[in-house]
PDB file of all heavy atoms in Angstrom:
ATOM      1  N   GLU A 342    -123.655 129.135 -56.864  1.00  0.00           N
ATOM      2  CA  GLU A 342    -122.349 128.506 -56.625  1.00  0.00           C
ATOM      3  C   GLU A 342    -122.528 127.032 -56.265  1.00  0.00           C
ATOM      4  O   GLU A 342    -121.709 126.176 -56.598  1.00  0.00           O
ATOM      5  CB  GLU A 342    -121.626 129.242 -55.493  1.00  0.00           C
ATOM      6  CG  GLU A 342    -120.187 128.785 -55.322  1.00  0.00           C
ATOM      7  CD  GLU A 342    -119.505 129.441 -54.124  1.00  0.00           C
ATOM      8  OE1 GLU A 342    -120.000 130.494 -53.650  1.00  0.00           O
ATOM      9  OE2 GLU A 342    -118.504 128.888 -53.663  1.00  0.00           O
ATOM     10  N   ASP A 343    -123.622 126.751 -55.578  1.00  0.00           N
ATOM     11  CA  ASP A 343    -123.925 125.362 -55.216  1.00  0.00           C
ATOM     12  C   ASP A 343    -124.598 124.700 -56.416  1.00  0.00           C
ATOM     13  O   ASP A 343    -125.718 125.036 -56.784  1.00  0.00           O
ATOM     14  CB  ASP A 343    -124.860 125.361 -53.988  1.00  0.00           C
ATOM     15  CG  ASP A 343    -125.149 123.957 -53.468  1.00  0.00           C
ATOM     16  OD1 ASP A 343    -124.746 122.971 -54.115  1.00  0.00           O
ATOM     17  OD2 ASP A 343    -125.773 123.859 -52.394  1.00  0.00           O
ATOM     18  N   LYS A 344    -123.873 123.748 -57.017  1.00  0.00           N
ATOM     19  CA  LYS A 344    -124.389 123.123 -58.244  1.00  0.00           C
ATOM     20  C   LYS A 344    -125.116 121.814 -57.942  1.00  0.00           C
ATOM     21  O   LYS A 344    -125.424 121.054 -58.862  1.00  0.00           O
ATOM     22  CB  LYS A 344    -123.217 122.818 -59.202  1.00  0.00           C
ATOM     23  CG  LYS A 344    -122.345 124.017 -59.511  1.00  0.00           C
ATOM     24  CD  LYS A 344    -122.830 124.750 -60.762  1.00  0.00           C
ATOM     25  CE  LYS A 344    -121.851 125.847 -61.153  1.00  0.00           C
ATOM     26  NZ  LYS A 344    -122.287 127.163 -60.692  1.00  0.00           N
ATOM     27  N   SER A 345    -125.364 121.515 -56.663  1.00  0.00           N
ATOM     28  CA  SER A 345    -126.010 120.246 -56.326  1.00  0.00           C
ATOM     29  C   SER A 345    -127.423 120.211 -56.891  1.00  0.00           C
ATOM     30  O   SER A 345    -128.048 121.262 -57.124  1.00  0.00           O
ATOM     31  CB  SER A 345    -126.043 120.050 -54.806  1.00  0.00           C
ATOM     32  OG  SER A 345    -126.917 120.991 -54.215  1.00  0.00           O
ATOM     33  N   GLU A 346    -127.910 119.013 -57.065  1.00  0.00           N
ATOM     34  CA  GLU A 346    -129.245 118.794 -57.642  1.00  0.00           C
ATOM     35  C   GLU A 346    -130.318 119.506 -56.808  1.00  0.00           C
ATOM     36  O   GLU A 346    -131.224 120.139 -57.345  1.00  0.00           O
ATOM     37  CB  GLU A 346    -129.465 117.291 -57.617  1.00  0.00           C
ATOM     38  CG  GLU A 346    -130.733 116.792 -58.235  1.00  0.00           C
ATOM     39  CD  GLU A 346    -130.948 115.327 -57.888  1.00  0.00           C
ATOM     40  OE1 GLU A 346    -129.949 114.593 -57.660  1.00  0.00           O
ATOM     41  OE2 GLU A 346    -132.107 114.922 -57.806  1.00  0.00           O
ATOM     42  N   ASN A 347    -130.179 119.420 -55.486  1.00  0.00           N
ATOM     43  CA  ASN A 347    -131.170 120.043 -54.604  1.00  0.00           C
ATOM     44  C   ASN A 347    -131.185 121.557 -54.778  1.00  0.00           C
ATOM     45  O   ASN A 347    -132.247 122.172 -54.902  1.00  0.00           O
ATOM     46  CB  ASN A 347    -130.868 119.717 -53.139  1.00  0.00           C
ATOM     47  CG  ASN A 347    -131.193 118.283 -52.798  1.00  0.00           C
ATOM     48  OD1 ASN A 347    -132.035 117.664 -53.426  1.00  0.00           O
ATOM     49  ND2 ASN A 347    -130.523 117.752 -51.793  1.00  0.00           N
ATOM     50  N   ALA A 348    -129.998 122.161 -54.803  1.00  0.00           N
ATOM     51  CA  ALA A 348    -129.910 123.624 -54.892  1.00  0.00           C
ATOM     52  C   ALA A 348    -130.471 124.128 -56.217  1.00  0.00           C
ATOM     53  O   ALA A 348    -131.167 125.150 -56.272  1.00  0.00           O
ATOM     54  CB  ALA A 348    -128.465 124.078 -54.729  1.00  0.00           C
ATOM     55  N   VAL A 349    -130.189 123.414 -57.284  1.00  0.00           N
ATOM     56  CA  VAL A 349    -130.675 123.826 -58.610  1.00  0.00           C
ATOM     57  C   VAL A 349    -132.206 123.766 -58.649  1.00  0.00           C
ATOM     58  O   VAL A 349    -132.873 124.683 -59.129  1.00  0.00           O
ATOM     59  CB  VAL A 349    -130.049 122.921 -59.707  1.00  0.00           C
ATOM     60  CG1 VAL A 349    -130.722 123.133 -61.038  1.00  0.00           C
ATOM     61  CG2 VAL A 349    -128.543 123.182 -59.814  1.00  0.00           C
TER      62      VAL A 349
END
Side-chain angles (χ1 to χ4, degrees):
Chain A
E342 189 185 341
D343 184 353
K344 306 268 187 261
S345 68
E346 184 191 332
N347 287 334
V349 169

